[in-house]
Amino acid sequence: MDTTSLTGKQLAADLNADTRTRAAALTENGAAPRLVLVVANDDPASGWYVKSLQRAAERLGIACDTVDLGATASADAIRAELDRLSKDPAVDGVMLQTPLPKGVGLAEVSTAIVAAKDVDGVSPHSLGLLASGLPGFPPATSEAVVELAKFHEIPLAGRHVAVVGRSNVVGKPLAQLLLAENATVTVCHSRTADLPAVTSAADIVVAAAGRAGLITGAHVREGAVVLDVGTNEGPDGSIVGDVDAPSVQGRAAALSPVPGGIGPVTTALLMRHVVRAAEAARA
């Protein structure tokens, strides 16, 4: 069986073209959309991601600033900064970069971001809106999985989807988005008994556990679709997914690559969220 590569390059390009046009219209009307990234760590991978977001924003005509609170920032200091930015009318989107300092929980501090500016959908408020089916910003990575499937014309309604991973930033919100598409969803995790038996019964498998090579050919039934959300560092320093791609190739009908699959779509959707927030603020 030939395994189709579900690349995200074209979808990201389409999204970015629309975002660039809308950002230019906002700028012409008086103010460019503005994103502020709040950092409280000295993690090299986080630093790389922040720089990539800054470059993406610049290419699209979105103003992007970074506030570095330092790797020892307290929960109170982080909350105070997020609250200040949420109240600043010149700021359209606020994103808190992880990891956070030891002892500081994301849910503990992210409630300080108002839902209208929570462009990556990380706060309990935003997650509650998503679970309730109300307007808000879903986590961009979760949304990217759904949008990539739609772009490649993979049906979701009525399909059985196994989501491997139950984090608040991918697994749980993705389950809500898939339910909204009328999929039947099974959420798997570290305590799922006989994971291969569960995933191999699914039409679509989404790997979002953060463990390199966790999903192998034994986890996938022939003809299933596999969407790989993982971004792990390989032995040689390269980025690898949660799927052992060689063992899945020839068995799955389609597989999203890492890199080049979910990643570029996630960034494109995050930037679109900033523009949408700016448009709503100026309406």
Side-chain angles (χ1 to χ4, degrees):
M1 174 182 294
D2 290 334
T3 300
T4 301
S5 180
L6 304 176
T7 62
K9 182 178 180 180
Q10 187 57 56
L11 173 56
D14 293 346
L15 289 166
N16 286 335
D18 177 64
T19 296
R20 187 179 294 107
T21 298
R22 291 161 67 175
L26 288 165
T27 301
E28 290 173 5
N29 287 331
R34 183 183 175 208
L35 169 67
V36 177
L37 306 170
V38 178
V39 181
N41 64 64
D42 54 7
D43 181 70
S46 173
W48 177 87
Y49 185 55
V50 166
K51 289 180 181 177
S52 72
L53 290 178
Q54 291 172 326
R55 290 192 297 268
E58 183 179 358
R59 289 194 298 268
L60 298 174
I62 296 171
C64 184
D65 301 316
T66 301
V67 175
D68 190 346
L69 299 177
T72 60
S74 67
D76 287 343
I78 296 171
R79 283 186 58 85
E81 183 61 24
L82 296 175
D83 181 67
R84 183 187 72 81
L85 293 170
S86 290
K87 293 175 179 176
D88 187 344
V91 175
D92 298 301
V94 179
M95 182 174 172
L96 176 60
Q97 182 60 28
T98 57
L100 297 174
K102 185 177 180 179
V104 178
L106 180 60
E108 174 189 6
V109 295
S110 62
T111 52
I113 309 174
V114 295
K117 297 186 180 185
D118 185 18
V119 290
D120 203 23
V122 298
S123 80
H125 297 318
S126 295
L127 294 172
L129 291 171
L130 176 61
S132 302
L134 297 173
F137 294 113
T141 303
S142 299
E143 187 181 14
V145 173
V146 174
E147 292 301 315
L148 187 65
K150 289 181 176 180
F151 179 78
H152 287 282
E153 299 182 341
I154 296 169
L156 296 174
R159 309 293 293 279
H160 178 198
V161 184
V163 178
V164 184
R166 55 177 171 178
S167 73
N168 285 337
V169 293
V170 183
K172 289 179 183 177
L174 175 57
Q176 297 294 335
L177 290 171
L178 290 167
L179 288 171
E181 297 293 333
N182 297 312
T184 298
V185 185
T186 300
V187 178
C188 308
H189 45 78
S190 60
R191 296 192 181 184
T192 297
D194 198 353
L195 181 62
V198 177
T199 56
S200 61
D203 303 304
I204 301 171
V205 178
V206 182
R211 289 178 54 190
L214 173 65
I215 302 301
T216 68
H219 294 79
V220 180
R221 71 165 177 79
E222 189 170 353
V225 172
V226 182
L227 293 158
D228 193 351
V229 182
T231 52
N232 311 286
E233 185 175 350
D236 60 354
S238 63
I239 299 298
V240 298
D242 285 3
V243 176
D244 178 39
S247 69
V248 171
Q249 290 283 351
R251 184 169 182 80
L255 169 66
S256 67
V258 176
I262 302 296
V265 181
T266 297
T267 301
L269 287 170
L270 179 63
M271 295 301 153
R272 185 172 73 169
H273 289 177
V274 177
V275 168
R276 282 176 50 198
E279 290 171 338
R282 293 155 178 70

